[in-house]
Amino acid sequence: MKALVIGGNGFIGTNLVEGLLADGYQVRVLDRYPSRYREPFAGVEYVVGDLGNHGDVISAVKGIDHVFHLAYTTLPQTSNDDPVYDVRSNIADTVQLLQECRTASVKKVIFISSGGTIYGVPEKTPIPEDHPTEPICSYGISKLAIEKYLNLFHHLWGLEYVVARLSNPYGEQQNPNSKQGAVGVFLGNIQQGKPITIWGDGSVVRDYIYIGDVTRALIACAKYQPGPKDHRVFNIGEGKGCSLNQLIDALKQVVDKPVEVVYTPARAVDVPSNVLDISRAKKCLNWAPEMELKEGLSRSWKWISSLSLV
Ligand SMILES: NC(=O)c1ccc[n+]([C@@H]2O[C@H](COP(=O)([O-])OP(=O)(O)OC[C@H]3O[C@@H](n4cnc5c(N)ncnc54)[C@H](O)[C@@H]3O)[C@@H](O)[C@H]2O)c1
């Protein structure tokens, strides 16, 4: 099997490429930039290019069985600053990609959507896939629109797809200087002796999932063979809630440095709680998260501690 990982040099992509290689896939990566924190993997075909460049996409999908689409130009909190850019760069470029996948007879597209934003403020917790979708950020709306286009391409032209609505991944390769990903940012600050900033009172609940469990889920999505009426959209998370204050307590148990926390006013973009119901993925994908939070945080700390951050 040959896989294309678009955005394969980022946090999730780098881990996914490693998992695909271990699973016996031949791998091609299309990304604008090289991986930040690790050398290229031996045997992977790296293509420097942009999802927005039609020519790059046409060449990248040639001869590919499974396309993993991870490239995204916006983040939940920044997407509302320029929704037009969000729509143009993510929705339009992805629809172009789907057209090229169709032309190249790609067998399946696996899209990383957002379990954290697509549902909006939840009516119930844990959130099942058939919960209403009322995102409160442009990022969530563009992810949802892409899900709809995947379904349209499947309906009209038989392009197979699976959507992974991911919660809050953490672990090795997570950029500590990013604006997304509490665990990576918090650990990066602790490593550098800087305080951790919490928006709100720390009661915001999230569903943290270790990156190794995410990688296994994405490969299970690729191998899943749905019938015509089977589910193609899956929540991928730990399925357990953890407040920011609980996360800080857990971090204090694994790091060997002082932890200083500063509380600032809450942000409008943050839903108060987000915990995913993962029973559908467990049943259909024969997958379940395995990593305990404390052990996952400990591995993340070991990795962050090996970096020289400035
Ligand atoms: N990290 C999270 O908390 C999280 C949660 C849910 C969903 N997701 C989704 O998972 C996917 C991967 O996220 P990540 O955390 O690995 O992000 P990341 O920023 O670490 O990696 C994204 C990669 O995509 C590349 N990229 C971006 N736009 C591109 C373009 N137009 N053309 C080519 N390459 C491009 C970047 O260079 C980067 O290497 C994204 O779609 C993101 O929305 C992430």
Side-chain angles (χ1 to χ4, degrees), residues 6-13 30-34 36 49-52 69-74 89 93 111-115 139 143 166-169 173-175 180-181:
I6 307 177
N9 289 337
F11 160 43
I12 298 169
L30 174 69
D31 201 303
R32 285 168 168 173
Y33 305 113
R36 268 194 188 83
D50 198 303
L51 180 67
H69 177 13
L70 279 69
Y72 228 68
T73 61
T74 54
S89 58
D93 289 351
F111 176 61
I112 320 296
S113 184
S114 166
Y139 170 95
K143 289 278 186 190
L166 186 56
S167 63
N168 294 76
Q173 309 297 327
Q174 186 172 32
N175 180 4
Q180 185 179 33

Short mmCIF file of all heavy atoms in Angstrom, two decimals, residues 6-13 30-34 36 49-52 69-74 89 93 111-115 139 143 166-169 173-175 180-181, ligand 1:
data_model
loop_
_atom_site.label_atom_id
_atom_site.label_comp_id
_atom_site.label_asym_id
_atom_site.label_seq_id
_atom_site.Cartn_x
_atom_site.Cartn_y
_atom_site.Cartn_z
N ILE A 6 -0.36 14.40 3.58
CA ILE A 6 -0.29 15.84 3.31
C ILE A 6 -0.24 16.55 4.66
O ILE A 6 -1.14 16.39 5.48
CB ILE A 6 -1.50 16.32 2.48
CG1 ILE A 6 -1.64 15.46 1.22
CG2 ILE A 6 -1.34 17.79 2.11
CD1 ILE A 6 -2.86 15.80 0.37
N GLY A 7 0.83 17.29 4.89
CA GLY A 7 1.07 17.84 6.23
C GLY A 7 1.82 16.82 7.08
O GLY A 7 1.72 16.82 8.31
N GLY A 8 2.58 15.96 6.41
CA GLY A 8 3.24 14.83 7.08
C GLY A 8 4.47 15.22 7.89
O GLY A 8 5.07 14.35 8.54
N ASN A 9 4.86 16.50 7.87
CA ASN A 9 6.01 16.90 8.67
C ASN A 9 5.62 17.65 9.94
O ASN A 9 6.47 18.18 10.65
CB ASN A 9 6.96 17.79 7.84
CG ASN A 9 7.67 16.97 6.78
OD1 ASN A 9 7.82 15.76 6.92
ND2 ASN A 9 8.10 17.63 5.70
N GLY A 10 4.33 17.70 10.24
CA GLY A 10 3.88 18.36 11.47
C GLY A 10 3.86 17.38 12.64
O GLY A 10 4.40 16.26 12.55
N PHE A 11 3.22 17.81 13.71
CA PHE A 11 3.14 16.99 14.94
C PHE A 11 2.50 15.63 14.67
O PHE A 11 3.12 14.57 14.86
CB PHE A 11 2.36 17.79 15.99
CG PHE A 11 1.78 17.01 17.13
CD1 PHE A 11 2.49 16.01 17.77
CD2 PHE A 11 0.49 17.31 17.59
CE1 PHE A 11 1.93 15.29 18.83
CE2 PHE A 11 -0.07 16.61 18.64
CZ PHE A 11 0.65 15.59 19.26
N ILE A 12 1.26 15.65 14.20
CA ILE A 12 0.55 14.38 13.99
C ILE A 12 1.17 13.63 12.81
O ILE A 12 1.37 12.41 12.87
CB ILE A 12 -0.96 14.63 13.78
CG1 ILE A 12 -1.55 15.30 15.03
CG2 ILE A 12 -1.69 13.33 13.47
CD1 ILE A 12 -2.96 15.82 14.87
N GLY A 13 1.50 14.38 11.75
CA GLY A 13 2.03 13.76 10.54
C GLY A 13 3.32 12.99 10.78
O GLY A 13 3.48 11.86 10.29
N LEU A 30 3.77 15.23 1.46
CA LEU A 30 3.70 16.56 0.82
C LEU A 30 3.54 17.57 1.94
O LEU A 30 2.58 17.51 2.72
CB LEU A 30 2.50 16.65 -0.12
CG LEU A 30 2.24 18.04 -0.73
CD1 LEU A 30 3.33 18.44 -1.73
CD2 LEU A 30 0.87 18.10 -1.43
N ASP A 31 4.50 18.47 2.05
CA ASP A 31 4.45 19.49 3.11
C ASP A 31 5.20 20.72 2.64
O ASP A 31 6.14 20.63 1.84
CB ASP A 31 5.06 18.93 4.41
CG ASP A 31 4.58 19.68 5.65
OD1 ASP A 31 4.76 20.91 5.71
OD2 ASP A 31 4.03 19.04 6.57
N ARG A 32 4.78 21.86 3.19
CA ARG A 32 5.48 23.11 2.87
C ARG A 32 6.87 23.17 3.50
O ARG A 32 7.76 23.82 2.99
CB ARG A 32 4.71 24.28 3.49
CG ARG A 32 3.45 24.68 2.83
CD ARG A 32 2.75 25.62 3.79
NE ARG A 32 1.64 26.30 3.17
CZ ARG A 32 0.79 27.05 3.84
NH1 ARG A 32 0.94 27.22 5.15
NH2 ARG A 32 -0.20 27.63 3.24
N TYR A 33 6.98 22.55 4.67
CA TYR A 33 8.22 22.69 5.46
C TYR A 33 8.73 21.33 5.91
O TYR A 33 7.94 20.38 6.03
CB TYR A 33 7.98 23.54 6.72
CG TYR A 33 7.39 24.88 6.44
CD1 TYR A 33 6.10 25.19 6.86
CD2 TYR A 33 8.13 25.84 5.74
CE1 TYR A 33 5.55 26.44 6.58
CE2 TYR A 33 7.58 27.08 5.46
CZ TYR A 33 6.28 27.38 5.89
OH TYR A 33 5.74 28.59 5.61
N PRO A 34 10.02 21.23 6.24
CA PRO A 34 10.53 19.98 6.83
C PRO A 34 10.04 19.83 8.27
O PRO A 34 9.55 20.79 8.86
CB PRO A 34 12.05 20.14 6.78
CG PRO A 34 12.31 21.59 6.61
CD PRO A 34 11.09 22.23 6.03
N ARG A 36 10.10 19.80 12.16
CA ARG A 36 10.84 20.71 13.04
C ARG A 36 11.88 20.01 13.89
O ARG A 36 12.95 20.51 14.13
CB ARG A 36 9.86 21.38 14.01
CG ARG A 36 9.30 22.67 13.56
CD ARG A 36 8.62 23.39 14.71
NE ARG A 36 7.94 24.56 14.19
CZ ARG A 36 6.72 24.52 13.65
NH1 ARG A 36 6.07 23.39 13.59
NH2 ARG A 36 6.17 25.62 13.18
N GLY A 49 5.99 21.12 -1.09
CA GLY A 49 4.95 21.69 -1.94
C GLY A 49 3.78 22.15 -1.10
O GLY A 49 3.80 22.03 0.14
N ASP A 50 2.77 22.67 -1.77
CA ASP A 50 1.65 23.29 -1.07
C ASP A 50 0.33 22.69 -1.55
O ASP A 50 0.12 22.51 -2.76
CB ASP A 50 1.67 24.80 -1.36
CG ASP A 50 0.83 25.57 -0.35
OD1 ASP A 50 -0.37 25.27 -0.22
OD2 ASP A 50 1.39 26.48 0.29
N LEU A 51 -0.53 22.43 -0.62
CA LEU A 51 -1.87 21.93 -0.96
C LEU A 51 -2.59 22.89 -1.90
O LEU A 51 -3.42 22.49 -2.70
CB LEU A 51 -2.68 21.73 0.33
CG LEU A 51 -4.10 21.22 0.19
CD1 LEU A 51 -4.14 19.79 -0.33
CD2 LEU A 51 -4.84 21.30 1.52
N GLY A 52 -2.25 24.16 -1.81
CA GLY A 52 -2.88 25.17 -2.66
C GLY A 52 -2.31 25.22 -4.07
O GLY A 52 -2.82 25.95 -4.92
N HIS A 69 -5.10 13.44 4.87
CA HIS A 69 -5.10 14.90 4.72
C HIS A 69 -5.01 15.55 6.10
O HIS A 69 -5.99 15.60 6.84
CB HIS A 69 -6.37 15.31 3.99
CG HIS A 69 -6.53 16.79 3.82
ND1 HIS A 69 -5.52 17.70 4.06
CD2 HIS A 69 -7.60 17.54 3.42
CE1 HIS A 69 -5.96 18.92 3.84
NE2 HIS A 69 -7.22 18.85 3.46
N LEU A 70 -3.81 16.06 6.40
CA LEU A 70 -3.55 16.67 7.71
C LEU A 70 -3.21 18.15 7.62
O LEU A 70 -3.08 18.81 8.65
CB LEU A 70 -2.37 15.96 8.40
CG LEU A 70 -2.62 14.64 9.11
CD1 LEU A 70 -2.94 13.52 8.14
CD2 LEU A 70 -1.40 14.25 9.93
N ALA A 71 -3.00 18.64 6.38
CA ALA A 71 -2.55 20.04 6.25
C ALA A 71 -3.71 20.98 6.58
O ALA A 71 -4.82 20.79 6.09
CB ALA A 71 -2.06 20.29 4.83
N TYR A 72 -3.45 21.98 7.39
CA TYR A 72 -4.48 22.98 7.70
C TYR A 72 -3.82 24.30 7.94
O TYR A 72 -2.78 24.37 8.59
CB TYR A 72 -5.32 22.55 8.92
CG TYR A 72 -6.79 22.68 8.63
CD1 TYR A 72 -7.40 21.85 7.72
CD2 TYR A 72 -7.57 23.66 9.25
CE1 TYR A 72 -8.75 21.98 7.41
CE2 TYR A 72 -8.91 23.79 8.96
CZ TYR A 72 -9.50 22.95 8.03
OH TYR A 72 -10.83 23.08 7.72
N THR A 73 -4.41 25.36 7.40
CA THR A 73 -3.73 26.66 7.47
C THR A 73 -4.17 27.49 8.67
O THR A 73 -3.59 28.54 8.93
CB THR A 73 -4.01 27.47 6.19
OG1 THR A 73 -5.42 27.69 6.13
CG2 THR A 73 -3.53 26.77 4.95
N THR A 74 -5.21 27.04 9.38
CA THR A 74 -5.71 27.85 10.50
C THR A 74 -5.83 27.00 11.77
O THR A 74 -5.79 25.78 11.73
CB THR A 74 -7.11 28.43 10.19
OG1 THR A 74 -7.97 27.35 9.82
CG2 THR A 74 -7.05 29.44 9.07
N SER A 89 -8.35 28.87 1.82
CA SER A 89 -7.17 28.01 1.85
C SER A 89 -7.50 26.59 2.27
O SER A 89 -6.82 25.66 1.85
CB SER A 89 -6.10 28.59 2.78
OG SER A 89 -6.62 28.75 4.08
N ASP A 93 -9.03 24.49 -1.33
CA ASP A 93 -7.88 23.64 -1.69
C ASP A 93 -8.17 22.16 -1.44
O ASP A 93 -7.68 21.29 -2.16
CB ASP A 93 -6.63 24.06 -0.88
CG ASP A 93 -6.10 25.42 -1.35
OD1 ASP A 93 -6.58 25.92 -2.39
OD2 ASP A 93 -5.21 25.97 -0.68
N PHE A 111 -9.43 11.99 6.47
CA PHE A 111 -9.38 13.41 6.80
C PHE A 111 -9.41 13.60 8.31
O PHE A 111 -10.24 13.02 9.01
CB PHE A 111 -10.57 14.13 6.17
CG PHE A 111 -10.66 15.59 6.55
CD1 PHE A 111 -9.63 16.46 6.22
CD2 PHE A 111 -11.76 16.09 7.23
CE1 PHE A 111 -9.69 17.81 6.57
CE2 PHE A 111 -11.83 17.43 7.59
CZ PHE A 111 -10.79 18.29 7.26
N ILE A 112 -8.49 14.44 8.80
CA ILE A 112 -8.46 14.73 10.23
C ILE A 112 -9.33 15.94 10.50
O ILE A 112 -8.96 17.08 10.19
CB ILE A 112 -7.03 15.04 10.75
CG1 ILE A 112 -5.99 14.12 10.13
CG2 ILE A 112 -7.00 14.98 12.28
CD1 ILE A 112 -6.13 12.69 10.45
N SER A 113 -10.49 15.67 11.07
CA SER A 113 -11.41 16.74 11.42
C SER A 113 -11.22 17.07 12.91
O SER A 113 -10.25 16.63 13.53
CB SER A 113 -12.83 16.29 11.11
OG SER A 113 -13.75 17.33 11.35
N SER A 114 -12.13 17.83 13.45
CA SER A 114 -11.92 18.35 14.81
C SER A 114 -13.08 18.02 15.73
O SER A 114 -14.13 18.69 15.68
CB SER A 114 -11.73 19.87 14.72
OG SER A 114 -11.84 20.44 15.99
N GLY A 115 -12.88 17.02 16.58
CA GLY A 115 -13.90 16.68 17.58
C GLY A 115 -14.04 17.77 18.62
O GLY A 115 -15.06 17.87 19.30
N TYR A 139 -12.81 27.68 11.99
CA TYR A 139 -12.07 26.40 11.82
C TYR A 139 -13.04 25.21 11.89
O TYR A 139 -12.98 24.31 11.07
CB TYR A 139 -11.01 26.36 12.92
CG TYR A 139 -10.26 25.08 13.15
CD1 TYR A 139 -9.02 24.86 12.55
CD2 TYR A 139 -10.74 24.11 14.05
CE1 TYR A 139 -8.30 23.70 12.81
CE2 TYR A 139 -10.01 22.96 14.31
CZ TYR A 139 -8.80 22.75 13.69
OH TYR A 139 -8.09 21.62 13.96
N LYS A 143 -13.92 22.68 8.80
CA LYS A 143 -13.74 21.22 8.95
C LYS A 143 -15.06 20.51 8.60
O LYS A 143 -15.06 19.50 7.90
CB LYS A 143 -13.35 20.87 10.39
CG LYS A 143 -11.93 21.28 10.78
CD LYS A 143 -10.91 20.29 10.32
CE LYS A 143 -9.51 20.61 10.82
NZ LYS A 143 -8.48 19.80 10.20
N LEU A 166 -10.92 14.33 15.71
CA LEU A 166 -9.92 14.17 16.75
C LEU A 166 -10.16 15.14 17.91
O LEU A 166 -10.53 16.29 17.69
CB LEU A 166 -8.56 14.42 16.09
CG LEU A 166 -7.30 14.20 16.87
CD1 LEU A 166 -7.23 12.79 17.44
CD2 LEU A 166 -6.09 14.43 15.95
N SER A 167 -9.90 14.65 19.13
CA SER A 167 -10.03 15.53 20.31
C SER A 167 -8.74 16.33 20.51
O SER A 167 -8.36 17.10 19.63
CB SER A 167 -10.39 14.70 21.55
OG SER A 167 -9.35 13.80 21.87
N ASN A 168 -8.06 16.16 21.63
CA ASN A 168 -6.86 16.95 21.94
C ASN A 168 -5.64 16.04 22.04
O ASN A 168 -5.35 15.50 23.12
CB ASN A 168 -7.06 17.70 23.27
CG ASN A 168 -8.14 18.74 23.16
OD1 ASN A 168 -9.34 18.43 23.16
ND2 ASN A 168 -7.75 19.98 23.03
N PRO A 169 -4.91 15.89 20.93
CA PRO A 169 -3.76 15.00 20.97
C PRO A 169 -2.56 15.64 21.69
O PRO A 169 -2.43 16.87 21.69
CB PRO A 169 -3.44 14.79 19.49
CG PRO A 169 -3.90 16.04 18.82
CD PRO A 169 -5.08 16.53 19.61
N GLN A 173 6.80 15.26 19.48
CA GLN A 173 6.75 16.11 18.26
C GLN A 173 5.73 17.25 18.36
O GLN A 173 5.58 18.01 17.40
CB GLN A 173 6.45 15.29 16.98
CG GLN A 173 7.31 14.08 16.75
CD GLN A 173 8.77 14.42 16.55
OE1 GLN A 173 9.11 15.45 16.01
NE2 GLN A 173 9.66 13.54 17.01
N GLN A 174 5.03 17.37 19.49
CA GLN A 174 4.06 18.47 19.61
C GLN A 174 4.83 19.77 19.85
O GLN A 174 5.60 19.86 20.81
CB GLN A 174 3.08 18.21 20.75
CG GLN A 174 1.96 19.23 20.83
CD GLN A 174 0.89 18.85 21.86
OE1 GLN A 174 1.20 18.22 22.87
NE2 GLN A 174 -0.34 19.22 21.58
N ASN A 175 4.58 20.74 19.00
CA ASN A 175 5.35 21.98 19.03
C ASN A 175 5.08 22.79 20.31
O ASN A 175 3.97 23.30 20.49
CB ASN A 175 4.97 22.81 17.78
CG ASN A 175 5.70 24.13 17.70
OD1 ASN A 175 6.55 24.42 18.53
ND2 ASN A 175 5.36 24.92 16.69
N GLN A 180 -1.55 26.11 19.66
CA GLN A 180 -2.52 25.03 19.89
C GLN A 180 -1.83 23.90 20.64
O GLN A 180 -0.66 23.63 20.41
CB GLN A 180 -3.01 24.49 18.53
CG GLN A 180 -4.11 23.46 18.64
CD GLN A 180 -4.57 22.98 17.27
OE1 GLN A 180 -3.78 22.90 16.33
NE2 GLN A 180 -5.84 22.65 17.14
N GLY A 181 -2.56 23.24 21.53
CA GLY A 181 -2.00 22.07 22.19
C GLY A 181 -1.48 22.39 23.58
O GLY A 181 -0.30 22.67 23.78
N1 LIG B 1 -3.02 19.25 17.13
C1 LIG B 1 -4.29 19.30 17.50
O1 LIG B 1 -4.61 19.64 18.66
C2 LIG B 1 -5.39 18.88 16.54
C3 LIG B 1 -6.64 18.54 17.01
C4 LIG B 1 -7.64 18.16 16.11
C5 LIG B 1 -7.37 18.17 14.75
N2 LIG B 1 -6.13 18.54 14.31
C6 LIG B 1 -5.88 18.55 12.87
O2 LIG B 1 -4.85 17.62 12.59
C7 LIG B 1 -4.11 18.07 11.46
C8 LIG B 1 -2.63 18.08 11.78
O3 LIG B 1 -2.42 18.92 12.90
P1 LIG B 1 -0.98 19.07 13.59
O4 LIG B 1 -1.23 19.34 15.02
O5 LIG B 1 -0.09 17.96 13.20
O6 LIG B 1 -0.51 20.44 12.92
P2 LIG B 1 0.96 20.91 12.57
O7 LIG B 1 0.88 22.38 12.36
O8 LIG B 1 1.97 20.39 13.53
O9 LIG B 1 1.21 20.21 11.16
C9 LIG B 1 0.55 20.59 10.01
C10 LIG B 1 1.52 20.42 8.84
O10 LIG B 1 0.83 20.78 7.65
C11 LIG B 1 1.67 21.58 6.85
N3 LIG B 1 0.81 22.43 6.04
C12 LIG B 1 -0.08 23.38 6.44
N4 LIG B 1 -0.69 23.92 5.39
C13 LIG B 1 -0.17 23.34 4.29
C14 LIG B 1 -0.39 23.48 2.91
N5 LIG B 1 -1.29 24.35 2.43
N6 LIG B 1 0.32 22.71 2.06
C15 LIG B 1 1.24 21.82 2.52
N7 LIG B 1 1.50 21.63 3.82
C16 LIG B 1 0.81 22.39 4.69
C17 LIG B 1 2.54 22.37 7.84
O11 LIG B 1 3.76 22.77 7.22
C18 LIG B 1 2.76 21.34 8.95
O12 LIG B 1 3.94 20.58 8.75
C19 LIG B 1 -4.69 19.44 11.09
O13 LIG B 1 -5.63 19.27 10.06
C20 LIG B 1 -5.38 19.88 12.35
O14 LIG B 1 -6.45 20.76 12.08
C21 LIG B 1 -5.13 18.88 15.17
#
